[in-house]
Amino acid sequence: MHLAYPAVLSALLFAIGVYGLLARRNAILVLMSVELMLNAVNLNLVAFDVWLSTTLRDTLHGGQALTLFTIALAAAEIGIGLAIVLLVYRNRGSSDVDRLRDTAETEADDDAEARAAEAALAADEARAATPYDSPAEKAEAAR
């Protein structure tokens, strides 16, 4: 088996994954694109491990061992990623990545506006706590 075939297939899979990561707006499709990229790396690791074992008589099979760790990492990433996506979908009603980014930016702006409104309300309450607006009214109330 030539090394070029799995390397080209791996490069194509990785390119499709990068395109999906950059072009998709749905968070689940973004996670699938990351998985596709990880699988392309796994294919490359196994292909080079087989090539090294036939040419150099390498019996360690380090590429296959590293592939197993990558698969375990990908499984953990999907488990946590899907849990986060489901939580965001329940709270926001959408898993659109661009919409979530816009929501985060507007929440920061809303926090600043809320702080300004609270400060204005506190100033109004402080003014309302003293019933006298002018010195003439204070003198009249003192009589």
Side-chain angles (χ1 to χ4, degrees), residues 99-129:
R99 190 170 174 198
L100 293 176
R101 187 180 318 126
D102 293 340
T103 304
E105 290 171 359
T106 58
E107 282 180 5
D109 295 340
D110 290 343
D111 288 342
E113 290 176 8
R115 278 189 240 119
E118 286 176 9
L121 183 63
D124 287 343
E125 288 176 356
R127 200 172 336 139

Side-chain angles (χ1 to χ4, degrees), residues 31-143:
L31 286 174
M32 288 175 60
S33 297
V34 170
E35 286 295 317
L36 194 61
M37 291 167 54
L38 285 173
N39 285 329
V41 169
N42 287 340
L43 178 63
N44 238 353
L45 283 171
V46 170
F48 275 95
D49 183 54
V50 168
W51 179 71
L52 281 176
S53 68
T54 58
T55 58
L56 299 177
R57 304 287 186 242
D58 183 24
T59 58
L60 275 178
H61 299 292
Q64 292 178 13
L66 192 57
T67 298
L68 288 176
F69 286 120
T70 308
I71 289 171
L73 178 74
E77 177 250 336
I78 279 296
I80 292 171
L82 283 178
I84 291 171
V85 167
L86 286 174
L87 183 67
V88 166
Y89 182 76
R90 284 182 187 165
N91 288 338
R92 306 276 187 208
S94 173
S95 62
D96 187 13
V97 176
D98 289 337
R99 190 170 174 198
L100 293 176
R101 187 180 318 126
D102 293 340
T103 304
E105 290 171 359
T106 58
E107 282 180 5
D109 295 340
D110 290 343
D111 288 342
E113 290 176 8
R115 278 189 240 119
E118 286 176 9
L121 183 63
D124 287 343
E125 288 176 356
R127 200 172 336 139
T130 58
Y132 310 110
D133 290 332
S134 68
E137 289 178 356
K138 286 184 186 178
E140 232 178 275
R143 290 187 216 164

